[in-house]
Amino acid sequence: FCHRAVYGVCVFFLMIRRPPRSTLLPYPTLFRSERSRHPQVILARLEGHLAALCGTARSISPPAWTRRPQKDEWAPVEIVCHLRDVEREVNLARLQAILVGDRPHLSASDTDRWANERNYIEQDGVQAMREFCELRKSIVERLHSLSEGDWRLPALHSLFGPTDLAEVMAIVTEHDTIHLAQLRAGLAQD
């Protein structure tokens, strides 16, 4: 676990500043490369992002959890709640659908709106972090148990078209990277 986590942490810390919102694509194109879709790389990034998020969360003071860096940007609690809910309702659901389905259809989800709808700003950031950690650990454990063939199980994504489990999990790592950079940039403004 440690050597894989170190790789993921290194990837995260390379992304010190978040680019302006206007330059962010829905997901970077990194997950389309063959190397980024390799199970060992994906697992290392998932574990490393978890370690980076845990380390960053430990440094957040109680008042900083709900402080927004800018009026229209998310506070740390909103970022962590978003990651938790996406992990539960999107990532875990997609993993399960691919493993049990016959080329399942994966719908796109507008998860950004959840921040307001679910009132993330009023939630407990530390508790959300704990829940995210448990969900991520369960996904990583499940992924470690898969065969090479399982990683190639097909699905049809409503935005990306034909895909497989490896690419879907690579997308998860890119989503992590975006929000870890967002969290780090917001905290750097304090």
Side-chain angles (χ1 to χ4, degrees), residues 122-141:
E122 297 296 327
Q123 294 187 28
D124 181 341
V126 175
Q127 180 60 34
M129 184 65 212
R130 278 190 211 107
E131 292 170 7
F132 171 77
C133 288
E134 291 306 312
L135 290 161
R136 173 56 55 91
K137 287 176 187 175
S138 71
I139 287 176
V140 167
E141 285 176 21

Side-chain angles (χ1 to χ4, degrees), residues 3 7 16 18 25 37 48-49 69 73 79 82-83 86 102 121 132 145 151 154 176:
H3 67 281
Y7 171 79
I16 292 175
R18 185 181 109 187
L25 297 173
R37 296 181 60 219
H49 293 160
E73 293 184 10
I79 295 168
H82 170 78
L83 289 169
V86 167
D102 180 24
I121 196 73
F132 171 77
S145 73
W151 285 89
D176 285 353

Side-chain angles (χ1 to χ4, degrees), residues 52-74:
L53 186 59
C54 290
T56 302
R58 277 194 286 274
S59 70
I60 301 173
S61 68
W65 275 104
T66 56
R67 192 172 327 147
R68 292 185 171 126
Q70 300 291 325
K71 181 182 169 196
D72 62 338
E73 293 184 10
W74 285 349

Side-chain angles (χ1 to χ4, degrees), residues 47-116:
E47 292 167 343
H49 293 160
L50 178 58
L53 186 59
C54 290
T56 302
R58 277 194 286 274
S59 70
I60 301 173
S61 68
W65 275 104
T66 56
R67 192 172 327 147
R68 292 185 171 126
Q70 300 291 325
K71 181 182 169 196
D72 62 338
E73 293 184 10
W74 285 349
V77 67
E78 293 170 301
I79 295 168
V80 172
C81 287
H82 170 78
L83 289 169
R84 175 205 58 205
D85 288 356
V86 167
E87 195 77 355
R88 179 185 306 125
E89 299 173 44
V90 179
N91 302 340
L92 184 58
R94 287 179 177 172
L95 173 61
Q96 292 169 336
I98 292 170
L99 291 176
V100 301
D102 180 24
R103 196 171 187 244
H105 179 264
L106 308 176
S107 299
S109 302
D110 180 10
T111 58
D112 287 358
R113 63 185 172 84
W114 292 350
N116 290 329

Side-chain angles (χ1 to χ4, degrees), residues 137-157:
K137 287 176 187 175
S138 71
I139 287 176
V140 167
E141 285 176 21
R142 183 67 199 257
L143 292 172
H144 272 294
S145 73
L146 300 180
S147 70
E148 283 290 322
D150 292 334
W151 285 89
R152 291 188 295 275
L153 287 169
L156 183 61
H157 193 283

